Amino acid sequence: MSDLSFIWMLRTALTRFQTKWKSYKHRFVPWVVLNLSKNEKTLRQVTERCKDKVVPDEEVSHSLLKLFRVLLRSHGANLDFRAVQTHFVKQVRSEEERCGGNLDATLHCLGFCIDRKPSTLPFAGTGVFVTKGFIPKGTTVAMYPGTVYQAYEPILLQSIRNPFVFRCIDGVLIDGNDKGISRMVFRSCSGRDRIGPFMMSDTSWLTDCPQNPLAVGQYVNNCCNERPANVCYQEYDVPEKFPIELRRYLPNVNYSLDTQRPLRCVVLVSLRDISEGEELFSNYYTIVH
């Protein structure tokens, strides 16, 4: 092999490594720690998991229940029990009408709408914006959808080139990718957990028209010096008393059927008042002892 060929092969291998590194580095813990420590403005320090609460879990539950009840009424409370009628309604109502109805219900209930649009950050791809209304400080703004993996459960294949894996303080992972194998895993687990006519989770976040308009939290971009955070992540375990008929709007599902813990959800809560037209930016939290 000539020296020229060897140099070319070396450059090709280096280019491939750099491409893969860009996909993995934000989930490579030493890299995250090193880079976040250089920019304290992007960090929110908590001493333990119970101290990550910006608002009490009761307030999160109240907001979600309030919205889900409005959505249930707007979608038709008895559609789950009438398969024929459901099929007919889905044929008659266009996707745009359904999306518009979901957003209108959210605006009427919570006083604001959020939606995905191209981010204002260069090369950031999709972002999430307040399209209508006003968000007061301390409001549950969005939910991070996806399959929930306990710290001991395998996620290797699903994590490959996947920037949507969220790590909770206690090591629980939420895979918010709406494509590829992650998409198939969520659909499979959601169908498995169905109880008679009751769906235990919402698969519509995998589409462009989620029934629960808050289920777009995985597209909220991280803050930077130029764009400080206006929302933050907060872990939320769904209480056992959460109404079974409203679980159809929860955009999370456990990977394992025999998980003994409550269903983990992650919500985004506003750190300040947010006006119409603003893009949402989140910050990381880090444990301090």
Side-chain angles (χ1 to χ4, degrees):
M1 180 184 296
S2 66
D3 291 342
L4 186 61
S5 298
F6 176 77
I7 293 174
W8 180 83
M9 291 178 61
L10 186 61
R11 286 180 175 176
T12 302
L14 181 61
T15 300
R16 289 177 179 174
F17 173 77
Q18 290 174 334
T19 300
K20 290 183 179 181
W21 173 243
K22 289 179 181 179
S23 298
Y24 281 101
K25 67 180 182 180
H26 294 287
R27 292 185 289 107
F28 184 56
V29 174
W31 183 91
V32 171
V33 172
L34 176 63
N35 284 271
L36 290 182
S37 62
K38 297 177 181 178
N39 188 0
E40 296 293 336
K41 292 181 180 179
T42 65
L43 291 174
R44 181 168 64 91
Q45 297 182 342
V46 297
T47 55
E48 52 187 300
R49 180 172 175 260
C50 64
K51 300 292 180 61
D52 82 313
K53 309 297 183 184
V54 177
V55 298
D57 282 348
E58 291 75 15
E59 289 189 23
V60 175
S61 292
H62 175 75
S63 296
L64 296 182
L65 290 172
K66 181 180 178 182
L67 173 63
F68 292 175
R69 289 188 178 109
V70 171
L71 291 174
L72 188 65
R73 286 196 297 270
S74 67
H75 295 155
N78 296 320
L79 290 182
D80 277 331
F81 305 98
R82 302 177 183 178
V84 175
Q85 182 181 356
T86 300
H87 179 69
F88 176 75
V89 170
K90 287 184 177 180
Q91 284 185 319
V92 172
R93 298 178 65 188
S94 68
E95 182 172 318
E96 289 185 359
E97 289 175 331
R98 283 184 282 129
C99 285
N102 296 339
L103 293 174
D104 288 343
T106 306
L107 179 63
H108 174 73
C109 177
L110 302 181
F112 67 89
C113 290
I114 60 171
D115 205 355
R116 291 167 284 189
K117 291 184 178 181
S119 176
T120 57
L121 290 176
F123 309 109
T126 302
V128 178
F129 293 77
V130 181
T131 55
K132 291 181 180 179
F134 171 81
I135 300 177
K137 179 180 178 181
T139 299
T140 301
V141 179
M143 302 185 71
Y144 198 102
T147 306
V148 180
Y149 294 82
Q150 303 304 312
Y152 53 84
E153 292 177 330
I155 192 177
L156 177 62
L157 292 179
Q158 297 92 313
S159 70
I160 296 175
R161 302 187 67 180
N162 183 356
F164 294 106
V165 178
F166 181 92
R167 186 182 187 279
C168 296
I169 295 174
D170 58 359
V172 170
L173 302 175
I174 300 181
D175 181 6
N177 194 354
D178 54 13
K179 296 179 176 59
I181 188 172
S182 300
R183 178 190 181 92
M184 291 187 290
V185 168
F186 189 93
R187 283 190 175 278
S188 176
C189 293
S190 180
R192 173 203 66 196
D193 291 351
R194 179 167 183 158
I195 301 178
F198 297 105
M199 294 296 297
M200 294 292 101
S201 57
D202 177 23
T203 61
S204 67
W205 69 271
L206 298 167
T207 71
D208 293 332
C209 180
Q211 288 190 95
N212 174 5
L214 301 188
V216 293
Q218 78 276 35
Y219 284 104
V220 174
N221 286 309
N222 293 314
C223 65
C224 59
N225 284 333
E226 295 75 22
R227 306 292 175 83
N230 50 20
V231 296
C232 66
Y233 298 107
Q234 177 170 313
E235 297 174 17
Y236 167 74
D237 288 341
V238 179
E240 291 185 6
K241 61 182 181 180
F242 202 91
I244 189 173
E245 71 275 11
L246 299 181
R247 288 177 177 261
R248 59 185 289 180
Y249 297 113
L250 292 172
N252 298 94
V253 64
N254 283 316
Y255 177 70
S256 294
L257 178 62
D258 58 352
T259 300
Q260 301 299 313
R261 304 175 59 170
L263 177 66
R264 172 66 52 80
C265 291
V266 170
V267 298
L268 289 96
V269 179
S270 55
L271 293 171
R272 61 169 175 82
D273 294 346
I274 308 174
S275 301
E276 182 174 323
E278 286 192 65
E279 182 174 0
L280 303 182
F281 293 105
S282 63
N283 59 10
Y284 294 94
Y285 47 48
T286 182
I287 297 292
V288 293
H289 301 283

